[in-house]
Amino acid sequence: MAARLALEEAAHLDPRSLRAWSQLATCYISDYKNRWNEAGKEEIGAGQDLVRRAREALAKADEIDPNMAQSRYAEGFIRCVEGMHQEGYEAMDRATRLDPSFAAAHAQKPIN
């Protein structure tokens, strides 16, 4: 939660920070995917707000520059949790093309 709060503050202080928005999108969707923080609650729909916030942060990052590997990585997870697995894998592939040394994105790509 501390990382998310720091990223939210960074995005608030500098709304044109591509890095803050793309990492914030990743943070939100990671919380949702891993059932961390509010996403770990038992009630139906807990954490769905995190998916919405991830999409919003990604949209802000893409307004600044749609060609950041971290953004495509976040997009990959967002697409996958929404059930669009092929689109998610394609986003991970774009992330690795933009940054061939982005090991985390390579790890999320399917083995052909």
Side-chain angles (χ1 to χ4, degrees), residues 29-86:
I29 203 63
S30 294
D31 277 3
Y32 176 82
K33 186 175 181 290
N34 294 302
R35 298 183 50 81
W36 293 332
N37 301 313
E38 64 268 34
K41 295 179 181 172
E42 293 297 322
E43 60 266 10
I44 294 173
Q48 284 295 317
D49 187 52
L50 290 169
V51 177
R52 180 190 58 78
R53 291 164 73 184
R55 289 181 135 285
E56 289 173 357
L58 179 60
K60 290 184 185 219
D62 284 349
E63 286 175 15
I64 299 165
D65 182 353
N67 294 309
M68 182 170 193
Q70 182 75 42
S71 297
R72 301 295 51 91
Y73 179 73
E75 177 190 7
F77 279 127
I78 292 167
R79 300 268 187 205
C80 285
V81 302
E82 293 177 332
M84 296 179 283
H85 298 281
Q86 185 59 41

